[in-house]
Amino acid sequence: MSENTQSPRKPRVAVVFGGRSSEHAISVVTAGAVLGAIDRDKYDVLPIGITTDGRWALTADAPERMAIADRTLPNVADLAESESGGVVLSVDPASREVVHTEPGSVPKALGEVDVVFPVLHGPYGEDGTLQGLLELSGVPYVGAGVLASAVGQDKEYMKRVFVSFGLPVGPYTVVRPREWEQNPAAARKKIVEFAADHGWPLFVKPARGGSSVGITKVDDLSGLDEAVEEARRHDPKVVVEALVRGREIECGVLEFEDGPRASVPAEIPPVTDHDFYDFEAKYIDSASGIVPAPIGDEATAEVQRLAVAAYEAISCEGLVRADFFLTEDGDFVINEVNTMPGFTPISMYPRMWQESGVAYPELVDRLIQAALRRSTGLR
């Protein structure tokens, strides 16, 4: 008499990428690297791209088509299997079914998803919005929850939380939408007074952005209005930061079975062809970081401690990359954290963990396993 020896089905991972933010292309690049690293003997994979207008689309499982080629950025529209079909994730926690619809056709069930690996960057993906949808759907997911994602995306409230936990933060001020729209002269005066206290240059940033998109280094008053308008193209709320003179140091945090651990840190050396470590320096011209950072054992231990403290301060899960300045006095100042750092081939987060003994495929696997261990809902 024969027995049923059918092996259990492999966990199904939906890699969700693209999105509506200005970091759409970097998300696609990240997804290509993640898709190329997931162990297909261990997991089934479902690539889902979100177009710049918000449509969820089935895409080709083709990592080689997701890289930056000849300075051309990839996008989901070029990878989508159809121009009109959409992917729908049930919001019923009793069902993790994914359905594909085409106009004029019967919806097609694609099976259940066990975990989502969201590699979206910026608003509408990394900021708690997608995480909230997944919580409603009862689907576990890689990375930070709703609160940590929202706080980690908003540079103002991130800094406020860090200050409340005693973490060292540089000088900054905030220009809210109504301030600039209703009384730009008063908003401009506020920034000028901030510069009088802390000096020029200033860095004008979208409050809820990343990948250095929309950031301008302003050397004097003449470039201020243009810089604010550039930041506001990406976010109506603007953060203005004083220059912190020091070496740029980054450190990764990863969730292990016994809790978060920090990687060896990296140093971002000064870039010669750019005013600062901007989008082109990061992704087009491939600025190289130094891993591990040559800062000595004592400073290494301190930045690792601060990175984990920042991770804990915003109630993070899964992973975070924490960015610091190391001043001439030997003190660390935290600049920001990134709850879904880039996983592009030149990204610092995977490089730091590679140097710490966690190779890229293991890094991806650990993130998926950490997500599978967690439940959705309050925890």
Side-chain angles (χ1 to χ4, degrees):
M1 185 167 133
S2 64
E3 296 183 4
N4 185 354
T5 58
Q6 183 178 3
S7 60
R9 100 177 154 79
K10 293 182 287 188
R12 197 151 193 241
V13 182
V15 178
V16 180
F17 62 97
R20 295 161 55 191
S21 83
S22 53
E23 297 176 78
H24 177 97
I26 297 308
S27 175
V28 177
V29 176
T30 297
V34 170
L35 286 168
I38 292 178
D39 185 349
R40 304 308 177 96
D41 292 330
K42 190 172 181 179
Y43 303 104
D44 285 327
V45 178
L46 179 67
I48 300 174
I50 302 177
T51 63
T52 54
D53 59 2
R55 178 173 67 94
W56 288 44
L58 278 183
T59 68
D61 187 1
E64 69 281 357
R65 294 173 54 194
M66 300 182 180
I68 298 173
D70 298 325
R71 304 177 75 88
T72 300
L73 301 176
N75 63 79
V76 167
D78 292 337
L79 297 161
E81 293 189 349
S82 72
E83 295 182 359
S84 56
V87 173
V88 178
L89 177 66
S90 171
V91 292
D92 179 1
S95 170
R96 296 175 178 176
E97 189 82 16
V98 176
V99 175
H100 184 246
T101 62
E102 286 278 1
S105 300
V106 176
K108 177 184 176 183
L110 300 177
E112 289 194 345
V113 166
D114 296 290
V115 62
V116 169
F117 200 133
V119 292
L120 295 104
H121 302 306
Y124 313 111
E126 190 185 351
D127 60 349
T129 50
L130 178 63
Q131 290 74 15
L133 172 63
L134 296 172
E135 292 285 353
L136 288 172
S137 302
V139 180
Y141 53 92
V142 169
V146 175
L147 174 67
S149 296
V151 173
Q153 186 67 40
D154 190 311
K155 292 178 177 62
E156 177 193 1
Y157 287 99
M158 178 197 309
K159 293 174 188 292
R160 289 181 181 275
V161 169
F162 288 159
V163 168
S164 73
F165 276 82
L167 294 169
V169 171
Y172 73 97
T173 190
V174 177
V175 178
R176 301 183 182 281
R178 270 184 291 184
E179 289 182 272
W180 190 258
E181 292 160 7
Q182 296 182 2
N183 195 342
R188 192 179 301 110
K189 182 173 182 288
K190 174 182 179 179
I191 299 173
V192 171
E193 289 175 349
F194 177 79
D197 290 337
H198 302 286
W200 301 91
L202 302 176
F203 290 88
V204 180
K205 304 180 176 183
R208 292 158 289 197
S211 295
S212 298
V213 174
I215 298 177
T216 305
K217 180 183 177 184
V218 181
D219 294 314
D220 53 44
L221 182 60
S222 64
L224 182 59
D225 281 25
E226 184 179 353
V228 171
E229 292 298 341
E230 171 60 19
R232 282 172 49 82
R233 286 200 313 112
H234 305 276
D235 186 346
K237 184 167 75 166
V238 176
V239 169
V240 179
E241 296 175 351
L243 172 68
V244 177
R245 299 189 184 277
R247 298 161 67 182
E248 293 189 47
I249 307 296
E250 299 183 349
C251 189
V253 179
L254 176 64
E255 180 180 337
F256 285 75
E257 290 81 359
D258 60 350
R261 301 181 197 172
S263 70
V264 300
E267 179 172 7
I268 307 300
V271 288
T272 56
D273 297 332
H274 302 264
D275 271 351
F276 59 98
Y277 194 43
D278 62 6
F279 180 89
E280 289 235 342
K282 285 181 178 179
Y283 299 110
I284 305 298
D285 295 337
S286 305
S288 297
I290 302 168
V291 188
I295 58 175
D297 292 344
E298 186 175 338
T300 293
E302 176 64 3
V303 76
Q304 289 174 326
R305 182 189 72 80
L306 289 170
V308 173
Y311 175 100
E312 299 281 24
I314 64 169
S315 300
C316 204
E317 293 168 297
L319 73 164
V320 86
R321 192 195 73 229
D323 301 344
F324 298 86
F325 296 108
L326 176 56
T327 70
E328 294 178 353
D329 295 331
D331 298 321
F332 283 102
V333 175
I334 188 165
N335 183 34
E336 63 183 40
V337 295
N338 194 317
T339 58
M340 184 49 70
F343 277 77
T344 68
I346 61 170
S347 293
M348 297 311 301
Y349 186 84
R351 287 184 59 194
M352 289 187 286
W353 279 108
Q354 175 78 37
E355 191 68 25
S356 304
V358 181
Y360 194 98
E362 181 188 349
L363 177 61
V364 170
D365 185 68
R366 282 191 171 277
L367 289 169
I368 294 172
Q369 288 298 315
L372 287 169
R373 287 194 300 269
R374 291 194 298 269
S375 63
T376 53
L378 299 178
R379 54 190 183 274

